[in-house]
Amino acid sequence: MAWLDAEGDNLLSVIPQLLGSRDGYALGALLCVNLSTPLFVRGRIHELLALHQRFLEAARAGQDHEGQADAHNHLGIANQGLGRAEAGATHFERAASLWKELGRDDREARALSNLSIPYRWLGRLEESMRCVLHAIELFQRLGRRGPEAANWDSLGLTYRELGRLDDCLRALERGLAIRRELENDQEVGISLSHLAETHLRHGDPAVAREQFEQARRLAVAAGDRYGEALCLWGLGQAAHALGEPAAREHWVASAGLLRELRLMTPKEARQLLRQRVPATPSAIRRRT
């Protein structure tokens, strides 16, 4: 994603002009959607939020209902990335409703999948489960294996919060198997990190360490710096549980990445690392 580091600022300055132009709106909307994942992976979440707020305003002005649904979905992602669960849920609810009205099962399924996450954070576990099961049903009907895999992960995490460990592990393993079949290494890493966190929470730090390290290597290869930070933090926790001195080295490296991604201030990092066993940062808790 070196192109984003080199040209991202120029693109972000041009897009609002395109969105405000009748002739340029379609290109501006396309750029908004296609820049979302690179911006999120690079940790430029505040810019992602501002970009899609502008997109939503332009889509409303032009009565572009698909554009509004897209903007709401990406605003949900940005708010979720900043830990704003209520705001994220509100945007995802609106996106799901719009896609349903438009008869777009594929896009409704994605919005429901996204909605299940802030619902889980908010403790609305039964609602989270209903969203993800409906999303899995839609994706299976559409033959969309990649998104189906992501939803098995999400279902597994909801089962974990409900204390249903066996169901959790089965769901996570099912998602991992599909992602391996599809040879999507970055998403294999995400599944592995979820499995690692689950094993760590349930008293098997040796397995967790192995899975976190596999996931970290895949995140580095994909340029997923947030994923790398998450895995480094998990490696620190696993090392601490095993009584190994490498724990602090991993925590320091993770905090450094979170600072670079502007998901933690330097002051927050210093305060956190003064603790003998640092509390898990909120930016890490949001994906585990």
Side-chain angles (χ1 to χ4, degrees):
M1 294 185 188
W3 65 269
L4 180 63
D5 298 329
E7 300 296 336
D9 290 342
N10 290 334
L11 279 172
L12 291 171
S13 67
V14 167
I15 290 172
Q17 300 171 39
L18 292 171
L19 290 172
S21 159
R22 179 180 299 176
D23 293 336
Y25 173 81
L27 176 59
L30 183 65
L31 287 170
C32 284
V33 173
N34 288 335
L35 278 173
S36 290
T37 297
L39 285 171
F40 188 91
V41 168
R42 280 310 207 200
R44 300 176 66 170
I45 300 174
H46 293 281
E47 290 160 299
L48 174 62
L49 185 72
L51 178 67
H52 281 278
Q53 188 58 55
R54 180 68 187 88
F55 181 22
L56 179 60
E57 292 166 2
R60 281 174 172 162
Q63 298 186 8
D64 174 8
H65 298 296
E66 289 200 3
Q68 290 175 54
D70 264 331
H72 276 298
N73 190 59
H74 291 289
L75 283 167
I77 290 169
N79 277 286
Q80 180 177 294
L82 294 170
R84 302 169 184 170
E86 291 279 5
T90 297
H91 283 295
F92 289 139
E93 287 166 349
R94 186 63 184 136
S97 176
L98 282 166
W99 288 125
K100 186 175 182 65
E101 290 172 15
L102 292 165
R104 291 291 303 276
D105 287 354
D106 56 335
R107 308 302 289 275
E108 180 191 358
R110 285 188 179 276
L112 288 169
S113 172
N114 290 335
L115 178 56
S116 72
I117 298 171
Y119 276 176
R120 186 173 68 244
W121 293 353
L122 294 166
R124 297 165 64 175
L125 299 179
E126 295 300 330
E127 291 170 280
S128 176
M129 189 176 299
R130 282 196 294 273
C131 284
V132 77
L133 286 171
H134 190 192
I136 288 172
E137 178 188 351
L138 290 171
F139 283 130
Q140 286 178 334
R141 185 192 310 162
L142 294 163
R144 302 292 302 282
R145 299 281 281 160
E148 179 194 342
N151 280 275
W152 284 113
D153 266 27
S154 189
L155 182 61
L157 298 182
T158 301
Y159 280 143
R160 190 174 72 191
E161 294 304 309
L162 289 165
R164 295 167 57 177
L165 178 60
D166 289 343
D167 288 333
C168 165
L169 291 173
R170 275 193 292 269
L172 292 176
E173 290 285 1
R174 187 162 180 178
L176 176 60
I178 295 172
R179 283 169 158 169
R180 280 182 165 152
E181 178 187 328
L182 297 174
E183 299 181 348
N184 187 326
D185 286 348
Q186 182 178 2
E187 294 193 355
V188 167
I190 292 171
S191 287
L192 284 168
S193 70
H194 288 151
L195 277 164
E197 178 65 23
T198 301
H199 284 296
L200 184 62
R201 291 191 190 190
H202 290 275
D204 199 343
V207 171
R209 177 176 60 184
E210 180 181 346
Q211 291 176 328
F212 272 130
E213 180 54 32
Q214 292 176 48
R216 185 196 67 80
R217 288 196 296 268
L218 291 170
V220 170
D224 181 359
R225 301 175 76 210
Y226 174 59
E228 182 185 0
L230 183 149
C231 292
L232 284 166
W233 195 268
L235 284 166
Q237 291 178 305
H240 174 71
L242 291 165
E244 297 175 353
R248 181 152 294 274
E249 177 184 338
H250 292 310
W251 288 328
V252 169
S254 177
L257 277 174
L258 292 174
R259 287 199 314 273
E260 290 177 23
L261 294 172
R262 295 194 297 166
L263 296 173
M264 179 186 291
T265 67
K267 180 179 179 181
E268 288 170 338
R270 287 193 300 271
Q271 290 174 340
L272 188 73
L273 294 173
R274 286 193 193 109
Q275 301 169 25
R276 189 179 69 82
V277 181
T280 301
S282 60
I284 298 294
R285 290 198 306 271
R286 290 199 286 269
R287 202 169 95 175
T288 60

